[in-house]
Amino acid sequence: MTDFIPVNEPLLDGNEKKYLLECVETGWISSEGPFVKEFEQKFSARMGRKHGIAVTNGTAAIDAAVEALGIGTGDEVIMPTFTIISCINQIVRNGAKPVLVDSDPITWNMDVSQIEGKITPRTKAIMIVHIFGLPVDVYPVLDIAKRYGLKVIEDAAEMHGQTYKGKPCGSFGDISTFSFYPNKHVTTGEGGMILTDDDELAETCRSLRNLCFQPQKRFVHERLGWNMRMTNMQAALGLAQLERLDQFVQRKREIGRNYTELLGGLQGVQLPLPATEYAENIYWVYGLILDETRGLSAEQAMKLFGEKGVGTRPFFYPMHQQPVFTKIGMFKGERYPVAERMALQGLYIPSGMALTDEMIERVAERVGQVLGLG
Ligand SMILES: Cc1ncc(COP(=O)(O)O)c(C=O)c1O
C-alpha cells in the first residue's frame, strides 16, 4: 500500500547530517570520539543532573542502573506491571524479586497509592516508569522512598523534555534512565543515557558500561560489566536532536491536540489524558483504549487499521502475564485488572515526529471509519 502511514518516522533534518559527516571525516566513530562527552554533558545539563553516562540503549541503561545500586538476591523492587520487559530484566537476572503494582486507569501510569502497601523489610528500591507522555505522580513516591530509606530508579525512556511540577523528568531518581530509540523525542538510532547526581554511582555505571576495565590493570576484572558504550556517530545524532528538543515537544503536543480534536467524538474510546495537575501530556505515543462494549479487541482493531493503511502498535503486555515468568511460577495468582485491560484493549496510532497535519487527518479519518465516526 503506497499511502501506508507508519506508526513512527523520526525527523532528521537539523544538524544530524553535518555532525555525522564530521565523524566520518575526522575518523572518530568509536565511543572515544568527542561528541559522546558533549552529548552526555548537554543532555544531563538539560535534565538538571550532574552526571550523564551514554550507553547503547535504554534497556542497557536500566540494566546498569539496577546493577550499580547493588540490587541482588533477597532484595525486592516495587515497579509497575504495565511496562516494557526492559524494566524487569536485570532485577530478575540478579536474583531479586520484582513486586508489582497496577496502573491508574485514567493516567495509565503506575498507581502510586498501591506502593506503600507493598513495602517489606526486603524492599530495596522503587522503580517509577513514566508511561506514554504523562509523568508518574512523583512526589508521593519520593516521600515514601525517603520515609523507608529506599532507592528510586526513574525510567524516563519516553519523557525527553517532559516536566513534573516544572522539574525535568529524569531529574528525580537516584538513578534515572532514558532511551534514544527512533520513536523517542530525541533519537540516536539506538541509544540510552543514565543520569545521576551521585559521584560514586556515576563511576560505577561508567565502569559497568566499559566491561569494568580497571585503569591500572586493564584486563584484570574485579566485577562483571558489559560493553554498552555509545559510539561517536550515535552521539552526533543525539546532539543534533537535542538542539531541537523544545520544538519536538511542542510539535508532539500539537499532534496530540489535533488527534484529540478529531477523535473526541468517538464513542467508547478512551483517549490520552491531555493534562494532570502536574504536567501537560507530551504524547510520546497517542494511545486509544477501546471499551469492551464495542466488541472489538485491540488486536482486532489493529488488523482493521492495518488494512486501511494505518500503522499501529499494541500497548505493553503486563509483567505478571509474561510467559517467561509464569512458566516458572512467578506472580502466581496475582491479578492487576487495570493493566490487564489496557493490554487487551489498548493500542497506539501513528505519532512520530515526521507526521504532517495532513497525515494526522488521514489517520483520524480512517480510525473514524473503523470505529464508527462514519
Ligand atoms: C518505558 C521504557 N523503558 C525502557 C525502554 C527500552 O529502551 P530501548 O528500546 O532503547 O532499549 C523503552 C523503549 O521503548 C520504554 O518505553
Side-chain angles (χ1 to χ4, degrees):
M1 198 174 309
T2 50
D3 71 343
F4 186 83
I5 302 167
V7 76
N8 176 65
E9 253 183 295
L11 206 58
L12 304 171
D13 55 358
N15 282 323
E16 288 82 356
K17 199 169 165 184
K18 180 172 165 226
Y19 297 162
L20 270 177
L21 201 62
E22 206 172 309
C23 296
V24 175
E25 284 173 353
T26 60
W28 280 115
I29 54 173
S30 77
S31 60
E32 297 283 310
F35 285 141
V36 178
K37 274 211 170 52
E38 191 181 344
F39 183 44
E40 288 178 336
Q41 278 159 5
K42 288 192 168 153
F43 192 82
S44 55
R46 171 65 206 258
M47 302 310 159
R49 301 310 298 255
K50 191 168 170 193
H51 301 283
I53 300 108
V55 293
T56 43
N57 54 64
T59 305
I62 300 170
D63 289 349
V66 169
E67 177 69 21
L69 285 173
I71 291 165
T73 309
D75 294 330
E76 294 181 1
V77 180
I78 299 174
M79 60 173 291
T81 190
F82 185 82
T83 187
I84 190 167
I85 196 83
S86 314
C87 296
I88 205 169
N89 278 347
Q90 193 62 22
I91 297 172
V92 174
R93 284 193 189 119
N94 277 5
K97 181 180 171 193
V99 175
L100 305 176
V101 301
D102 205 353
S103 306
D104 177 289
I106 310 297
T107 65
W108 304 345
N109 267 303
M110 76 194 289
D111 182 348
V112 167
S113 72
Q114 296 184 11
I115 293 175
E116 200 163 357
K118 301 262 175 167
I119 293 176
T120 76
R122 290 175 298 282
T123 309
K124 180 142 184 182
I126 303 171
M127 181 184 285
I128 56 179
V129 186
H130 307 296
I131 295 287
F132 293 174
L134 270 180
V136 171
D137 192 2
V138 180
Y139 284 156
V141 183
L142 296 189
D143 176 58
I144 294 170
K146 198 168 166 201
R147 280 191 284 120
Y148 289 89
L150 307 175
K151 295 290 182 197
V152 173
I153 302 167
E154 178 190 15
D155 180 8
E158 308 170 356
M159 287 292 134
H160 319 67
Q162 178 58 295
T163 56
Y164 169 84
K165 298 200 170 177
K167 264 196 85 191
C169 287
S171 69
F172 296 103
D174 291 286
I175 294 197
S176 304
T177 59
F178 280 88
S179 161
F180 303 121
Y181 189 70
N183 60 4
K184 304 302 190 297
H185 289 62
V186 167
T187 184
T188 60
E190 299 282 353
M193 184 88 76
I194 304 162
L195 299 181
T196 183
D197 296 330
D198 184 309
D199 297 347
E200 208 173 308
L201 277 178
E203 212 30 62
T204 306
C205 288
R206 282 197 190 99
S207 175
L208 288 169
R209 163 181 74 175
N210 196 23
L211 289 166
C212 297
F213 284 134
Q214 300 195 86
Q216 306 308 331
K217 297 179 184 169
R218 184 169 176 82
F219 294 112
V220 180
H221 300 267
E222 301 282 347
R223 185 173 186 170
L224 293 179
W226 295 268
N227 176 353
M228 36 171 91
R229 302 185 298 260
M230 176 182 274
T231 69
N232 204 46
M233 296 177 289
Q234 291 167 299
L237 273 181
L239 271 173
Q241 291 265 295
L242 187 61
E243 289 169 357
R244 296 197 297 161
L245 177 55
D246 290 334
Q247 194 186 323
F248 287 164
V249 168
Q250 198 184 349
R251 176 61 187 154
K252 279 285 216 177
R253 285 194 167 130
E254 227 170 67
I255 293 172
R257 273 197 296 271
N258 287 354
Y259 270 139
T260 301
E261 213 174 283
L262 293 165
L263 300 174
L266 287 174
Q267 297 299 307
V269 181
Q270 184 186 353
L271 305 180
L273 193 65
T276 61
E277 67 184 72
Y278 44 79
E280 194 191 332
N281 207 326
I282 56 166
Y283 302 98
W284 171 58
V285 293
Y286 195 92
L288 311 175
I289 298 184
L290 310 178
D291 202 276
E292 289 78 354
T293 54
R294 304 196 62 102
L296 198 64
S297 69
E299 201 175 331
Q300 290 164 328
M302 285 191 296
K303 191 163 175 285
L304 296 174
F305 290 149
E307 284 165 10
K308 289 204 173 278
V310 174
T312 56
R313 287 283 182 282
F315 272 16
F316 294 132
Y317 196 71
M319 293 304 107
H320 68 284
Q321 294 185 317
Q322 295 290 345
V324 64
F325 302 133
T326 56
K327 73 183 177 197
I328 55 167
M330 281 174 71
F331 310 122
K332 199 162 179 213
E334 294 184 33
R335 300 304 302 267
Y336 301 96
V338 178
E340 287 170 24
R341 174 171 185 261
M342 282 162 66
L344 274 180
Q345 299 300 117
L347 62 105
Y348 59 88
I349 56 179
S351 39
M353 226 44 250
L355 208 63
T356 63
D357 288 349
E358 185 273 327
M359 286 157 94
I360 294 171
E361 280 173 26
R362 256 193 296 150
V363 171
E365 190 182 309
R366 293 171 193 185
V367 168
Q369 285 164 5
V370 173
L371 297 178
L373 260 188

